[in-house]
Amino acid sequence: MSAHCQLTGAEPGFGNNISHSHRRTSRRFDPNIQRKRYWLPSEGRNVRLTLSARAIKTVDTIGIEAAVARIRARGGKV
């Protein structure tokens, strides 16, 4: 599962670990990605989405129909 949110487009960020001696090594900041299943009444089926924790809260606010419309507007497949 890639660390990519279907609704918000959140992707990993990159940076450095900095040790006590100030040596730098690469690291990756992953978003909190969850796979969540929703019932989509307009199509009469369940959809499984890969969402960040923030996007799950957004779906709770705007509703699954509006969220799926946004995903499709971004060119995503549902």
Side-chain angles (χ1 to χ4, degrees):
M1 177 172 64
S2 69
H4 184 272
C5 177
Q6 288 180 293
L7 181 60
T8 62
E11 293 179 327
F14 294 90
N16 291 309
N17 281 325
I18 302 182
S19 71
H20 182 69
S21 64
H22 217 66
R23 291 188 62 127
R24 293 162 190 231
T25 54
S26 291
R27 66 160 293 177
R28 182 173 143 140
F29 295 91
D30 285 328
N32 186 2
I33 298 294
Q34 311 291 325
R35 281 185 57 100
K36 189 123 167 77
R37 197 174 77 156
Y38 291 99
W39 173 251
L40 194 58
S42 63
E43 297 181 15
R45 68 184 182 105
N46 286 313
V47 292
R48 182 162 299 186
L49 301 175
T50 305
L51 301 172
S52 63
R54 185 180 68 178
I56 291 172
K57 294 173 189 174
T58 302
V59 170
D60 290 344
T61 303
I62 67 174
I64 186 61
E65 298 287 346
V68 167
R70 284 189 192 181
I71 292 169
R72 288 183 173 146
R74 293 182 75 232
K77 182 182 166 212
V78 177

